[in-house]
Amino acid sequence: MENLLNKASLRSWRESIPPHARVGFVPTMGALHEGHLSLVHASKKRCDLTVASIFVNPLQFGPKEDFANYPRTLERDRSLLEQAGVDVLFSPAETDLYAADASTYVVEESVSQPLCGQFRPGHFRGVATVVLKLFNLVQPHYAFFGQKDAQQCSVLERMVRDLDLPVTLILGETVREPDGLAMSSRNRYLSASDREKAALIHASLQAAARAFALGERNATELERIGRGVLERDGSFRIQYWEARHPASLHRLEKVSEAGALLAVAAYLGSTRLIDNLRLKAPA
Ligand code: PAF
């Protein structure tokens, strides 16, 4: 695996590869887990060359968020990516990626607004900006993102469509621990007792999905059922637990043929966890 530490070396690598090579790209912030590695495997299946990046992007963290404490495990990540067969790891310094007086940003103005957008102002602007920069540098044919970050996927799909970016996004299924907890770099912050409780987040989504399977179509009722699972425990500080239209992310009264995205964000102690589940109406 080649370890490229700055934009100049990535650009030279990109210019050196055969023109017909299919390039797959897995952008990450490191602290890798099976979810990230599943995206690498998907890229290796589809592409001739796989690039991964590790960059903890300051632009997507709010002033009171965990940028300084975000887990940084570069050596371990490097060996995981190497074992998984990544061809190039791009891990630039902040001063290399961003000009000190950078003043241009990518702002998606619709699907970035609700859910996390309400609680993390500027977050999706930071994500879209860094992902566009990385796309411009790596010039991938395919880029791989996990559906655990469903709203991020929606924002990036809009960006690719609206700005005519020559890349296809491939969205990978959420990879879960045996008890259902979605894998996340932030799970390592959880205390042992909170780690046990964290499985209730997925259980809350499943409770609503069961009600949906039994015929419940009222969005408020589905939200009440899911939210209730977390509220009964008493340890969660729920930011949102909502059923939204899967494409527009607009509020729903009734779940129609389009189905719904059930999405939740909740704090356990000082750790913010998100998860989601897609409801598909029976054919
Ligand atoms: O999902 C992530 O880890 C980040 O938001 C991403 C896409 C790497 C951009 O910094």
Side-chain angles (χ1 to χ4, degrees), residues 27-29 36 55 57 60 123 127 130-131 145 149 152 156:
T28 81
M29 298 205 301
H36 298 111
F55 179 68
N57 173 33
Q60 69 190 75
H123 170 66
V127 170
V130 81
V131 170
F145 296 89
D149 300 309
Q152 169 170 284
L156 296 175

Side-chain angles (χ1 to χ4, degrees), residues 43 48 51 155 157 193-194:
S43 172
D48 302 311
V51 179
V155 170
E157 282 184 321
S193 67
D194 282 348

